[in-house]
Amino acid sequence: MPKKATKKDIEFIKEHFLVTYNDAVTELEYKNDYELLIAIILSAQCTDKRVNIITPALFQKYPDTLSLSIASLEEVKELLKSCSFFNNKAKNIIKMAQSVEDNYESIIPHDIKQLIKLSGVGNKTAKVFMIEADGANLMAVDTHVFRVAHRLGLASGKTVEQIEEQLVKKLKDDLHIFHQAMVLFGRYVCKAVSPDCNNCALVPVCKSKGRFAVGS
Ligand code: SF4
């Protein structure tokens, strides 16, 4: 098990993330709240690249919650078929659009409690939406954040909830930046398989580097 990051390590990590990823945003492509929420729902267990291939045709055919709320399930499934869990995702986004039409006058709510009542929107999806749309001071833990938090000794929890709680406690502010930073850092540097330790700026504070071949 990796050691815990010290206060000094945490400051070093924060500084690196704030400088390097200050302007980072999601790699999902969207033009408005409706498109953002759907892209986040579709990205569960699916790559952002794949979602970005799927969504242009979906948004062209169904440009808003009204059109999607009355869409044919079979036609939506057809548009989503290259996405993982497309059957459920198709049902969920139609139901989500119906709820937004029925309860929120076609406007996606910017409120965690209201968001998680929508079909297909869990705690993580709601937080990612608030982080991206509003720069909310929230942490959302996906597979990249989970891995990076462990490797850097920022968190030791076994569940997403535990990791989120530990990260919020340690990082405190600018959580939206740290979330985006850890996603991108995990995706391109501290990858699950073959992390790029040779080109990693966090080698001095990493608690896992001994497990990977730095200098090889
Ligand atoms: S040194 Fe390697 S394992 Fe540690 S944070 Fe950097 S890329 Fe990840």
mmCIF file of all heavy atoms in Angstrom, residues 13-26 131-132 138-140 142 144-145 147-149 152 154 171 174-190 202:
data_model
loop_
_atom_site.group_PDB
_atom_site.id
_atom_site.type_symbol
_atom_site.label_atom_id
_atom_site.label_comp_id
_atom_site.label_asym_id
_atom_site.label_seq_id
_atom_site.Cartn_x
_atom_site.Cartn_y
_atom_site.Cartn_z
ATOM 1 N N ILE A 13 1.871 18.914 -5.059
ATOM 2 C CA ILE A 13 0.908 18.357 -6.030
ATOM 3 C C ILE A 13 -0.089 19.442 -6.454
ATOM 4 O O ILE A 13 -0.373 19.626 -7.645
ATOM 5 C CB ILE A 13 0.166 17.139 -5.410
ATOM 6 C CG1 ILE A 13 1.144 15.985 -5.186
ATOM 7 C CG2 ILE A 13 -1.001 16.705 -6.305
ATOM 8 C CD1 ILE A 13 0.616 14.904 -4.235
ATOM 9 N N LYS A 14 -0.588 20.177 -5.455
ATOM 10 C CA LYS A 14 -1.582 21.228 -5.758
ATOM 11 C C LYS A 14 -0.981 22.274 -6.690
ATOM 12 O O LYS A 14 -1.598 22.690 -7.670
ATOM 13 C CB LYS A 14 -2.065 21.891 -4.456
ATOM 14 C CG LYS A 14 -3.050 21.036 -3.685
ATOM 15 C CD LYS A 14 -3.315 21.556 -2.296
ATOM 16 C CE LYS A 14 -4.312 22.662 -2.244
ATOM 17 N NZ LYS A 14 -4.770 22.946 -0.866
ATOM 18 N N GLU A 15 0.227 22.679 -6.379
ATOM 19 C CA GLU A 15 0.903 23.690 -7.188
ATOM 20 C C GLU A 15 1.032 23.197 -8.642
ATOM 21 O O GLU A 15 0.726 23.920 -9.594
ATOM 22 C CB GLU A 15 2.286 23.973 -6.571
ATOM 23 C CG GLU A 15 3.165 24.932 -7.347
ATOM 24 C CD GLU A 15 2.687 26.382 -7.245
ATOM 25 O OE1 GLU A 15 1.856 26.667 -6.368
ATOM 26 O OE2 GLU A 15 3.137 27.198 -8.067
ATOM 27 N N HIS A 16 1.472 21.957 -8.798
ATOM 28 C CA HIS A 16 1.646 21.415 -10.152
ATOM 29 C C HIS A 16 0.312 21.375 -10.900
ATOM 30 O O HIS A 16 0.218 21.805 -12.048
ATOM 31 C CB HIS A 16 2.241 20.003 -10.085
ATOM 32 C CG HIS A 16 2.284 19.330 -11.429
ATOM 33 N ND1 HIS A 16 3.083 19.785 -12.466
ATOM 34 C CD2 HIS A 16 1.590 18.273 -11.941
ATOM 35 C CE1 HIS A 16 2.887 19.032 -13.539
ATOM 36 N NE2 HIS A 16 1.982 18.109 -13.252
ATOM 37 N N PHE A 17 -0.714 20.879 -10.247
ATOM 38 C CA PHE A 17 -2.018 20.777 -10.918
ATOM 39 C C PHE A 17 -2.587 22.164 -11.234
ATOM 40 O O PHE A 17 -3.144 22.380 -12.312
ATOM 41 C CB PHE A 17 -3.004 19.987 -10.054
ATOM 42 C CG PHE A 17 -2.785 18.491 -10.080
ATOM 43 C CD1 PHE A 17 -3.270 17.679 -9.062
ATOM 44 C CD2 PHE A 17 -2.114 17.883 -11.129
ATOM 45 C CE1 PHE A 17 -3.079 16.305 -9.086
ATOM 46 C CE2 PHE A 17 -1.915 16.497 -11.166
ATOM 47 C CZ PHE A 17 -2.400 15.712 -10.138
ATOM 48 N N LEU A 18 -2.436 23.097 -10.290
ATOM 49 C CA LEU A 18 -3.005 24.444 -10.522
ATOM 50 C C LEU A 18 -2.294 25.158 -11.664
ATOM 51 O O LEU A 18 -2.924 25.864 -12.455
ATOM 52 C CB LEU A 18 -2.922 25.288 -9.248
ATOM 53 C CG LEU A 18 -3.895 24.898 -8.131
ATOM 54 C CD1 LEU A 18 -3.609 25.688 -6.865
ATOM 55 C CD2 LEU A 18 -5.349 25.120 -8.557
ATOM 56 N N VAL A 19 -0.996 24.959 -11.769
ATOM 57 C CA VAL A 19 -0.238 25.628 -12.832
ATOM 58 C C VAL A 19 -0.486 24.941 -14.180
ATOM 59 O O VAL A 19 -0.748 25.587 -15.190
ATOM 60 C CB VAL A 19 1.281 25.629 -12.488
ATOM 61 C CG1 VAL A 19 2.103 26.065 -13.702
ATOM 62 C CG2 VAL A 19 1.545 26.549 -11.312
ATOM 63 N N THR A 20 -0.437 23.635 -14.176
ATOM 64 C CA THR A 20 -0.494 22.893 -15.448
ATOM 65 C C THR A 20 -1.907 22.756 -16.006
ATOM 66 O O THR A 20 -2.100 22.724 -17.220
ATOM 67 C CB THR A 20 0.113 21.483 -15.248
ATOM 68 O OG1 THR A 20 1.364 21.629 -14.595
ATOM 69 C CG2 THR A 20 0.317 20.769 -16.579
ATOM 70 N N TYR A 21 -2.893 22.649 -15.121
ATOM 71 C CA TYR A 21 -4.248 22.353 -15.595
ATOM 72 C C TYR A 21 -5.249 23.450 -15.240
ATOM 73 O O TYR A 21 -6.443 23.188 -15.151
ATOM 74 C CB TYR A 21 -4.720 21.021 -14.991
ATOM 75 C CG TYR A 21 -3.856 19.840 -15.381
ATOM 76 C CD1 TYR A 21 -2.831 19.396 -14.557
ATOM 77 C CD2 TYR A 21 -4.068 19.167 -16.586
ATOM 78 C CE1 TYR A 21 -2.035 18.309 -14.908
ATOM 79 C CE2 TYR A 21 -3.282 18.074 -16.945
ATOM 80 C CZ TYR A 21 -2.270 17.657 -16.100
ATOM 81 O OH TYR A 21 -1.483 16.584 -16.459
ATOM 82 N N ASN A 22 -4.767 24.658 -15.051
ATOM 83 C CA ASN A 22 -5.633 25.745 -14.594
ATOM 84 C C ASN A 22 -6.853 25.967 -15.479
ATOM 85 O O ASN A 22 -7.943 26.257 -15.013
ATOM 86 C CB ASN A 22 -4.803 27.032 -14.495
ATOM 87 C CG ASN A 22 -5.567 28.110 -13.760
ATOM 88 O OD1 ASN A 22 -6.234 27.828 -12.778
ATOM 89 N ND2 ASN A 22 -5.501 29.321 -14.249
ATOM 90 N N ASP A 23 -6.643 25.834 -16.797
ATOM 91 C CA ASP A 23 -7.747 26.095 -17.729
ATOM 92 C C ASP A 23 -8.355 24.805 -18.286
ATOM 93 O O ASP A 23 -9.061 24.834 -19.294
ATOM 94 C CB ASP A 23 -7.242 26.936 -18.923
ATOM 95 C CG ASP A 23 -6.738 28.294 -18.453
ATOM 96 O OD1 ASP A 23 -7.313 28.823 -17.494
ATOM 97 O OD2 ASP A 23 -5.766 28.800 -19.050
ATOM 98 N N ALA A 24 -8.052 23.692 -17.668
ATOM 99 C CA ALA A 24 -8.511 22.414 -18.235
ATOM 100 C C ALA A 24 -10.035 22.288 -18.186
ATOM 101 O O ALA A 24 -10.671 22.712 -17.219
ATOM 102 C CB ALA A 24 -7.878 21.258 -17.469
ATOM 103 N N VAL A 25 -10.569 21.727 -19.237
ATOM 104 C CA VAL A 25 -12.009 21.459 -19.292
ATOM 105 C C VAL A 25 -12.193 20.027 -19.796
ATOM 106 O O VAL A 25 -11.238 19.390 -20.229
ATOM 107 C CB VAL A 25 -12.749 22.440 -20.248
ATOM 108 C CG1 VAL A 25 -12.789 23.838 -19.670
ATOM 109 C CG2 VAL A 25 -12.118 22.439 -21.623
ATOM 110 N N THR A 26 -13.409 19.558 -19.748
ATOM 111 C CA THR A 26 -13.687 18.205 -20.225
ATOM 112 C C THR A 26 -13.335 18.074 -21.701
ATOM 113 O O THR A 26 -13.391 19.054 -22.461
ATOM 114 C CB THR A 26 -15.174 17.850 -20.023
ATOM 115 O OG1 THR A 26 -15.397 16.525 -20.511
ATOM 116 C CG2 THR A 26 -16.090 18.794 -20.772
ATOM 117 N N ILE A 131 -19.313 20.753 -11.996
ATOM 118 C CA ILE A 131 -17.898 21.158 -12.117
ATOM 119 C C ILE A 131 -17.671 21.818 -13.471
ATOM 120 O O ILE A 131 -17.086 22.896 -13.580
ATOM 121 C CB ILE A 131 -16.972 19.920 -11.952
ATOM 122 C CG1 ILE A 131 -16.954 19.455 -10.499
ATOM 123 C CG2 ILE A 131 -15.555 20.223 -12.451
ATOM 124 C CD1 ILE A 131 -16.314 18.085 -10.294
ATOM 125 N N GLU A 132 -18.140 21.159 -14.514
ATOM 126 C CA GLU A 132 -17.893 21.658 -15.870
ATOM 127 C C GLU A 132 -18.730 22.905 -16.178
ATOM 128 O O GLU A 132 -18.222 23.875 -16.743
ATOM 129 C CB GLU A 132 -18.223 20.534 -16.874
ATOM 130 C CG GLU A 132 -17.984 20.887 -18.310
ATOM 131 C CD GLU A 132 -16.518 21.083 -18.674
ATOM 132 O OE1 GLU A 132 -15.633 20.567 -17.969
ATOM 133 O OE2 GLU A 132 -16.257 21.787 -19.666
ATOM 134 N N LEU A 138 -16.415 21.098 -6.224
ATOM 135 C CA LEU A 138 -16.829 19.722 -5.938
ATOM 136 C C LEU A 138 -15.792 18.758 -6.493
ATOM 137 O O LEU A 138 -15.090 19.080 -7.457
ATOM 138 C CB LEU A 138 -18.168 19.427 -6.628
ATOM 139 C CG LEU A 138 -19.383 20.212 -6.140
ATOM 140 C CD1 LEU A 138 -20.549 20.042 -7.114
ATOM 141 C CD2 LEU A 138 -19.790 19.729 -4.744
ATOM 142 N N MET A 139 -15.724 17.576 -5.895
ATOM 143 C CA MET A 139 -14.852 16.532 -6.424
ATOM 144 C C MET A 139 -15.714 15.376 -6.905
ATOM 145 O O MET A 139 -16.655 14.972 -6.227
ATOM 146 C CB MET A 139 -13.891 16.044 -5.326
ATOM 147 C CG MET A 139 -12.976 14.903 -5.723
ATOM 148 S SD MET A 139 -11.984 15.179 -7.226
ATOM 149 C CE MET A 139 -10.857 16.474 -6.720
ATOM 150 N N ALA A 140 -15.414 14.896 -8.095
ATOM 151 C CA ALA A 140 -16.081 13.707 -8.623
ATOM 152 C C ALA A 140 -14.992 12.681 -8.904
ATOM 153 O O ALA A 140 -13.961 13.017 -9.487
ATOM 154 C CB ALA A 140 -16.842 14.048 -9.905
ATOM 155 N N ASP A 142 -13.719 9.474 -10.729
ATOM 156 C CA ASP A 142 -13.852 8.449 -11.774
ATOM 157 C C ASP A 142 -12.640 7.525 -11.673
ATOM 158 O O ASP A 142 -11.846 7.628 -10.730
ATOM 159 C CB ASP A 142 -13.982 9.090 -13.165
ATOM 160 C CG ASP A 142 -12.681 9.721 -13.639
ATOM 161 O OD1 ASP A 142 -11.702 9.766 -12.856
ATOM 162 O OD2 ASP A 142 -12.637 10.162 -14.802
ATOM 163 N N HIS A 144 -9.853 7.472 -13.261
ATOM 164 C CA HIS A 144 -8.552 8.162 -13.284
ATOM 165 C C HIS A 144 -8.269 8.831 -11.943
ATOM 166 O O HIS A 144 -7.169 8.736 -11.405
ATOM 167 C CB HIS A 144 -8.534 9.214 -14.404
ATOM 168 C CG HIS A 144 -8.764 8.643 -15.763
ATOM 169 N ND1 HIS A 144 -7.927 7.696 -16.327
ATOM 170 C CD2 HIS A 144 -9.739 8.862 -16.677
ATOM 171 C CE1 HIS A 144 -8.382 7.370 -17.526
ATOM 172 N NE2 HIS A 144 -9.481 8.058 -17.757
ATOM 173 N N VAL A 145 -9.272 9.528 -11.421
ATOM 174 C CA VAL A 145 -9.097 10.219 -10.138
ATOM 175 C C VAL A 145 -8.786 9.190 -9.040
ATOM 176 O O VAL A 145 -7.902 9.399 -8.204
ATOM 177 C CB VAL A 145 -10.357 11.037 -9.781
ATOM 178 C CG1 VAL A 145 -10.224 11.657 -8.396
ATOM 179 C CG2 VAL A 145 -10.604 12.126 -10.826
ATOM 180 N N ARG A 147 -7.350 6.229 -9.296
ATOM 181 C CA ARG A 147 -5.994 5.683 -9.433
ATOM 182 C C ARG A 147 -4.926 6.704 -9.032
ATOM 183 O O ARG A 147 -4.002 6.406 -8.278
ATOM 184 C CB ARG A 147 -5.794 5.246 -10.897
ATOM 185 C CG ARG A 147 -4.436 4.658 -11.189
ATOM 186 C CD ARG A 147 -4.339 4.177 -12.624
ATOM 187 N NE ARG A 147 -4.396 5.239 -13.607
ATOM 188 C CZ ARG A 147 -5.448 5.523 -14.372
ATOM 189 N NH1 ARG A 147 -6.548 4.827 -14.260
ATOM 190 N NH2 ARG A 147 -5.405 6.511 -15.244
ATOM 191 N N VAL A 148 -5.068 7.926 -9.533
ATOM 192 C CA VAL A 148 -4.070 8.973 -9.257
ATOM 193 C C VAL A 148 -4.031 9.283 -7.760
ATOM 194 O O VAL A 148 -2.956 9.448 -7.170
ATOM 195 C CB VAL A 148 -4.387 10.240 -10.092
ATOM 196 C CG1 VAL A 148 -3.565 11.427 -9.622
ATOM 197 C CG2 VAL A 148 -4.140 9.967 -11.579
ATOM 198 N N ALA A 149 -5.201 9.358 -7.136
ATOM 199 C CA ALA A 149 -5.270 9.647 -5.698
ATOM 200 C C ALA A 149 -4.506 8.586 -4.906
ATOM 201 O O ALA A 149 -3.756 8.899 -3.975
ATOM 202 C CB ALA A 149 -6.724 9.713 -5.248
ATOM 203 N N LEU A 152 -0.549 8.753 -5.643
ATOM 204 C CA LEU A 152 0.124 9.915 -5.037
ATOM 205 C C LEU A 152 0.007 9.921 -3.515
ATOM 206 O O LEU A 152 0.554 10.798 -2.859
ATOM 207 C CB LEU A 152 -0.471 11.214 -5.598
ATOM 208 C CG LEU A 152 -0.143 11.515 -7.069
ATOM 209 C CD1 LEU A 152 -0.920 12.741 -7.541
ATOM 210 C CD2 LEU A 152 1.352 11.730 -7.265
ATOM 211 N N LEU A 154 -2.695 10.495 -1.889
ATOM 212 C CA LEU A 154 -3.658 11.517 -1.455
ATOM 213 C C LEU A 154 -4.856 10.884 -0.771
ATOM 214 O O LEU A 154 -5.576 11.542 -0.032
ATOM 215 C CB LEU A 154 -4.152 12.323 -2.669
ATOM 216 C CG LEU A 154 -3.152 13.290 -3.305
ATOM 217 C CD1 LEU A 154 -3.724 13.866 -4.592
ATOM 218 C CD2 LEU A 154 -2.785 14.404 -2.334
ATOM 219 N N LEU A 171 -7.647 18.573 -0.254
ATOM 220 C CA LEU A 171 -7.418 19.607 -1.282
ATOM 221 C C LEU A 171 -8.238 20.876 -1.019
ATOM 222 O O LEU A 171 -7.875 21.956 -1.473
ATOM 223 C CB LEU A 171 -7.739 19.031 -2.673
ATOM 224 C CG LEU A 171 -6.903 17.802 -3.062
ATOM 225 C CD1 LEU A 171 -7.390 17.199 -4.380
ATOM 226 C CD2 LEU A 171 -5.423 18.130 -3.166
ATOM 227 N N ASP A 174 -10.648 24.947 -4.911
ATOM 228 C CA ASP A 174 -10.310 24.728 -6.334
ATOM 229 C C ASP A 174 -10.517 23.268 -6.744
ATOM 230 O O ASP A 174 -9.789 22.742 -7.583
ATOM 231 C CB ASP A 174 -8.849 25.128 -6.632
ATOM 232 C CG ASP A 174 -8.616 26.612 -6.390
ATOM 233 O OD1 ASP A 174 -9.465 27.419 -6.808
ATOM 234 O OD2 ASP A 174 -7.586 26.953 -5.782
ATOM 235 N N LEU A 175 -11.505 22.626 -6.146
ATOM 236 C CA LEU A 175 -11.703 21.194 -6.414
ATOM 237 C C LEU A 175 -12.040 20.928 -7.873
ATOM 238 O O LEU A 175 -11.704 19.881 -8.422
ATOM 239 C CB LEU A 175 -12.801 20.632 -5.502
ATOM 240 C CG LEU A 175 -12.475 20.621 -4.007
ATOM 241 C CD1 LEU A 175 -13.673 20.130 -3.206
ATOM 242 C CD2 LEU A 175 -11.266 19.740 -3.726
ATOM 243 N N HIS A 176 -12.728 21.892 -8.517
ATOM 244 C CA HIS A 176 -13.067 21.696 -9.933
ATOM 245 C C HIS A 176 -11.799 21.592 -10.779
ATOM 246 O O HIS A 176 -11.725 20.792 -11.702
ATOM 247 C CB HIS A 176 -13.971 22.824 -10.444
ATOM 248 C CG HIS A 176 -13.363 24.180 -10.363
ATOM 249 N ND1 HIS A 176 -13.015 24.770 -9.171
ATOM 250 C CD2 HIS A 176 -13.023 25.063 -11.336
ATOM 251 C CE1 HIS A 176 -12.497 25.969 -9.406
ATOM 252 N NE2 HIS A 176 -12.492 26.166 -10.716
ATOM 253 N N ILE A 177 -10.784 22.397 -10.411
ATOM 254 C CA ILE A 177 -9.521 22.321 -11.166
ATOM 255 C C ILE A 177 -8.821 20.994 -10.874
ATOM 256 O O ILE A 177 -8.327 20.322 -11.779
ATOM 257 C CB ILE A 177 -8.587 23.508 -10.809
ATOM 258 C CG1 ILE A 177 -9.252 24.830 -11.199
ATOM 259 C CG2 ILE A 177 -7.234 23.362 -11.520
ATOM 260 C CD1 ILE A 177 -8.456 26.068 -10.807
ATOM 261 N N PHE A 178 -8.820 20.588 -9.595
ATOM 262 C CA PHE A 178 -8.152 19.329 -9.249
ATOM 263 C C PHE A 178 -8.852 18.130 -9.890
ATOM 264 O O PHE A 178 -8.213 17.168 -10.297
ATOM 265 C CB PHE A 178 -8.043 19.158 -7.732
ATOM 266 C CG PHE A 178 -7.159 20.189 -7.092
ATOM 267 C CD1 PHE A 178 -7.597 20.967 -6.037
ATOM 268 C CD2 PHE A 178 -5.878 20.411 -7.586
ATOM 269 C CE1 PHE A 178 -6.779 21.932 -5.465
ATOM 270 C CE2 PHE A 178 -5.047 21.376 -7.020
ATOM 271 C CZ PHE A 178 -5.495 22.142 -5.958
ATOM 272 N N HIS A 179 -10.172 18.206 -9.989
ATOM 273 C CA HIS A 179 -10.893 17.118 -10.659
ATOM 274 C C HIS A 179 -10.456 17.016 -12.119
ATOM 275 O O HIS A 179 -10.060 15.940 -12.583
ATOM 276 C CB HIS A 179 -12.412 17.334 -10.598
ATOM 277 C CG HIS A 179 -13.164 16.459 -11.547
ATOM 278 N ND1 HIS A 179 -13.420 15.124 -11.298
ATOM 279 C CD2 HIS A 179 -13.672 16.718 -12.780
ATOM 280 C CE1 HIS A 179 -14.059 14.608 -12.327
ATOM 281 N NE2 HIS A 179 -14.227 15.544 -13.233
ATOM 282 N N GLN A 180 -10.525 18.130 -12.834
ATOM 283 C CA GLN A 180 -10.145 18.118 -14.252
ATOM 284 C C GLN A 180 -8.682 17.691 -14.390
ATOM 285 O O GLN A 180 -8.327 16.918 -15.282
ATOM 286 C CB GLN A 180 -10.307 19.515 -14.886
ATOM 287 C CG GLN A 180 -11.673 20.172 -14.728
ATOM 288 C CD GLN A 180 -12.713 19.670 -15.703
ATOM 289 O OE1 GLN A 180 -12.659 18.535 -16.148
ATOM 290 N NE2 GLN A 180 -13.694 20.503 -16.005
ATOM 291 N N ALA A 181 -7.823 18.197 -13.493
ATOM 292 C CA ALA A 181 -6.397 17.886 -13.556
ATOM 293 C C ALA A 181 -6.168 16.385 -13.381
ATOM 294 O O ALA A 181 -5.412 15.767 -14.144
ATOM 295 C CB ALA A 181 -5.646 18.652 -12.457
ATOM 296 N N MET A 182 -6.814 15.790 -12.386
ATOM 297 C CA MET A 182 -6.561 14.371 -12.103
ATOM 298 C C MET A 182 -7.103 13.476 -13.213
ATOM 299 O O MET A 182 -6.539 12.426 -13.501
ATOM 300 C CB MET A 182 -7.144 14.001 -10.735
ATOM 301 C CG MET A 182 -6.346 14.647 -9.609
ATOM 302 S SD MET A 182 -7.106 14.461 -7.984
ATOM 303 C CE MET A 182 -6.497 12.864 -7.485
ATOM 304 N N VAL A 183 -8.198 13.909 -13.849
ATOM 305 C CA VAL A 183 -8.726 13.129 -14.979
ATOM 306 C C VAL A 183 -7.716 13.148 -16.130
ATOM 307 O O VAL A 183 -7.341 12.102 -16.673
ATOM 308 C CB VAL A 183 -10.085 13.694 -15.464
ATOM 309 C CG1 VAL A 183 -10.498 13.042 -16.780
ATOM 310 C CG2 VAL A 183 -11.162 13.480 -14.404
ATOM 311 N N LEU A 184 -7.232 14.342 -16.489
ATOM 312 C CA LEU A 184 -6.312 14.453 -17.631
ATOM 313 C C LEU A 184 -4.941 13.863 -17.300
ATOM 314 O O LEU A 184 -4.331 13.188 -18.128
ATOM 315 C CB LEU A 184 -6.182 15.918 -18.066
ATOM 316 C CG LEU A 184 -7.474 16.521 -18.644
ATOM 317 C CD1 LEU A 184 -7.285 17.996 -18.955
ATOM 318 C CD2 LEU A 184 -7.929 15.781 -19.897
ATOM 319 N N PHE A 185 -4.469 14.107 -16.079
ATOM 320 C CA PHE A 185 -3.183 13.551 -15.640
ATOM 321 C C PHE A 185 -3.253 12.013 -15.668
ATOM 322 O O PHE A 185 -2.324 11.340 -16.099
ATOM 323 C CB PHE A 185 -2.872 14.066 -14.233
ATOM 324 C CG PHE A 185 -1.580 13.574 -13.655
ATOM 325 C CD1 PHE A 185 -0.366 14.044 -14.132
ATOM 326 C CD2 PHE A 185 -1.572 12.648 -12.618
ATOM 327 C CE1 PHE A 185 0.829 13.591 -13.583
ATOM 328 C CE2 PHE A 185 -0.388 12.194 -12.067
ATOM 329 C CZ PHE A 185 0.819 12.662 -12.546
ATOM 330 N N GLY A 186 -4.370 11.468 -15.227
ATOM 331 C CA GLY A 186 -4.539 10.017 -15.229
ATOM 332 C C GLY A 186 -4.695 9.447 -16.623
ATOM 333 O O GLY A 186 -4.255 8.338 -16.920
ATOM 334 N N ARG A 187 -5.315 10.217 -17.483
ATOM 335 C CA ARG A 187 -5.555 9.725 -18.844
ATOM 336 C C ARG A 187 -4.274 9.732 -19.690
ATOM 337 O O ARG A 187 -4.052 8.832 -20.486
ATOM 338 C CB ARG A 187 -6.625 10.618 -19.500
ATOM 339 C CG ARG A 187 -7.125 10.118 -20.835
ATOM 340 C CD ARG A 187 -8.287 10.959 -21.331
ATOM 341 N NE ARG A 187 -9.506 10.721 -20.591
ATOM 342 C CZ ARG A 187 -10.559 11.547 -20.561
ATOM 343 N NH1 ARG A 187 -10.534 12.672 -21.241
ATOM 344 N NH2 ARG A 187 -11.635 11.245 -19.864
ATOM 345 N N TYR A 188 -3.423 10.751 -19.489
ATOM 346 C CA TYR A 188 -2.278 10.907 -20.391
ATOM 347 C C TYR A 188 -0.906 10.706 -19.749
ATOM 348 O O TYR A 188 0.065 10.480 -20.466
ATOM 349 C CB TYR A 188 -2.325 12.299 -21.052
ATOM 350 C CG TYR A 188 -3.544 12.471 -21.924
ATOM 351 C CD1 TYR A 188 -4.572 13.328 -21.558
ATOM 352 C CD2 TYR A 188 -3.686 11.729 -23.100
ATOM 353 C CE1 TYR A 188 -5.709 13.463 -22.348
ATOM 354 C CE2 TYR A 188 -4.816 11.853 -23.891
ATOM 355 C CZ TYR A 188 -5.824 12.722 -23.512
ATOM 356 O OH TYR A 188 -6.949 12.830 -24.297
ATOM 357 N N VAL A 189 -0.803 10.819 -18.441
ATOM 358 C CA VAL A 189 0.513 10.661 -17.799
ATOM 359 C C VAL A 189 0.506 9.445 -16.870
ATOM 360 O O VAL A 189 1.183 8.445 -17.120
ATOM 361 C CB VAL A 189 0.917 11.940 -17.004
ATOM 362 C CG1 VAL A 189 2.317 11.762 -16.396
ATOM 363 C CG2 VAL A 189 0.876 13.185 -17.889
ATOM 364 N N CYS A 190 -0.284 9.507 -15.845
ATOM 365 C CA CYS A 190 -0.315 8.423 -14.855
ATOM 366 C C CYS A 190 -1.357 7.391 -15.284
ATOM 367 O O CYS A 190 -2.349 7.150 -14.606
ATOM 368 C CB CYS A 190 -0.629 8.994 -13.474
ATOM 369 S SG CYS A 190 -0.327 7.821 -12.150
ATOM 370 N N LEU A 202 5.592 14.804 -11.058
ATOM 371 C CA LEU A 202 5.275 14.488 -9.665
ATOM 372 C C LEU A 202 6.125 13.355 -9.094
ATOM 373 O O LEU A 202 5.854 12.871 -7.992
ATOM 374 C CB LEU A 202 3.786 14.163 -9.535
ATOM 375 C CG LEU A 202 2.855 15.343 -9.866
ATOM 376 C CD1 LEU A 202 1.394 14.954 -9.689
ATOM 377 C CD2 LEU A 202 3.168 16.558 -8.993
#
